[in-house]
Each structure stands twice: as structure tokens, then as C-alpha cells.
Amino acid sequence: MGSRLENISDEQIKKYMKYVYKIIGDIEFDGPNELYRYDNLSLLFSPFGGGIDRLDIEYLYYLLKNNPFYFKEGYPINRPTLVDHDLTYSVRESQIVIIDYSGEIETYIPDDLESDYLTNLTDDDVIDTYTWNVGSEVVDSEMLDDKWDF
């Protein structure tokens, strides 16, 4: 898909960069994130009718970074190239999970089963609930840590 700035001629890019520099003055952005957080970002893209896209911001950042002599005759515009990166976002979290083990037992006790009795049978391995059908539901979680791998 790319940035809409890709399709603009070098001459139009130079005019656009002149417009951008009138707004930003001598501000130098340390990275695309700093440009992304710039207070007047929407003003920078107003010539295109707004609708700022992440790729447009990245494209503009690299135009500013790679073209310090854009205004001088004979210097070609050094344009960024769109590349793909495989990313992994890893999250370490603590979860509270309710696990239900459902099964059947044969018994002579018709209506008066007691939790204590069943717990004792489970503790003594008379009943093995872990062989029954399992259902689970995450009822709460807390993020402990996150990181990007690229």
C-alpha cells in the first residue's frame, strides 16, 4: 500500500518539504516516534486533506532525515523504501483460570453427596478427576511484562 507521498514527483516533494520546514523550523526529530508525537502533525499533512497514516509519517520522517539539501538545485530527493519486518509481540501475564473437570461416578448415594467425602476420595486417588472432560475460562489476567522482538 505505502505512503501517498510515494506518488508525488520530486519537484512537488521539494515544495512540500519547504512547506513542512516553515512549520517545524529548526526542529530535528530523533526518530519517527518523535514526529508521530509532534503537536502540529495534522498541520504538516493538511495539504493532503488530513487523514494521517502511519506510513505517511514514517515517509516524511525519512524524507527530512535523508534530504538536508532538498532545496539546492541538482540534489536528487533520497526517498525511503518500503520494507516488511517480521515482528513478535510477547506478553508475560498472570491469569486466573477456572478449570472445570466434568465426569460421572457410580454411587449408591442418590441425593446426599458431600464435598468432604468427594475430596477425600480424590485425595486418595479413588476418583481421578483429571481424566474427565475439561473446560476452562480465563476470568482475570494481569500483564507482568511485554517486549518486541524483531
Side-chain angles (χ1 to χ4, degrees), residues 41-60:
L41 185 64
S42 60
L43 187 58
L44 297 180
F45 288 95
S46 62
F48 302 104
I52 304 166
D53 183 79
R54 170 186 65 85
L55 292 175
D56 292 333
I57 296 167
E58 293 172 10
Y59 197 94
L60 176 58

Side-chain angles (χ1 to χ4, degrees), residues 10-60:
D10 283 359
E11 196 57 41
Q12 290 298 319
I13 285 289
K14 288 180 181 186
K15 288 179 185 177
Y16 173 63
M17 289 177 68
K18 190 179 216 179
Y19 167 81
V20 168
Y21 275 112
K22 282 182 184 178
I23 296 167
I24 66 171
D26 59 355
I27 296 174
E28 290 186 23
F29 300 101
D30 287 334
N33 190 49
E34 204 171 295
L35 179 59
Y36 178 74
R37 296 283 180 213
Y38 181 58
D39 289 336
N40 290 325
L41 185 64
S42 60
L43 187 58
L44 297 180
F45 288 95
S46 62
F48 302 104
I52 304 166
D53 183 79
R54 170 186 65 85
L55 292 175
D56 292 333
I57 296 167
E58 293 172 10
Y59 197 94
L60 176 58

Side-chain angles (χ1 to χ4, degrees), residues 127-140:
I127 297 174
D128 185 5
T129 57
Y130 295 107
T131 62
W132 294 352
N133 295 324
V134 179
S136 66
E137 174 186 4
V138 176
V139 293
D140 195 14

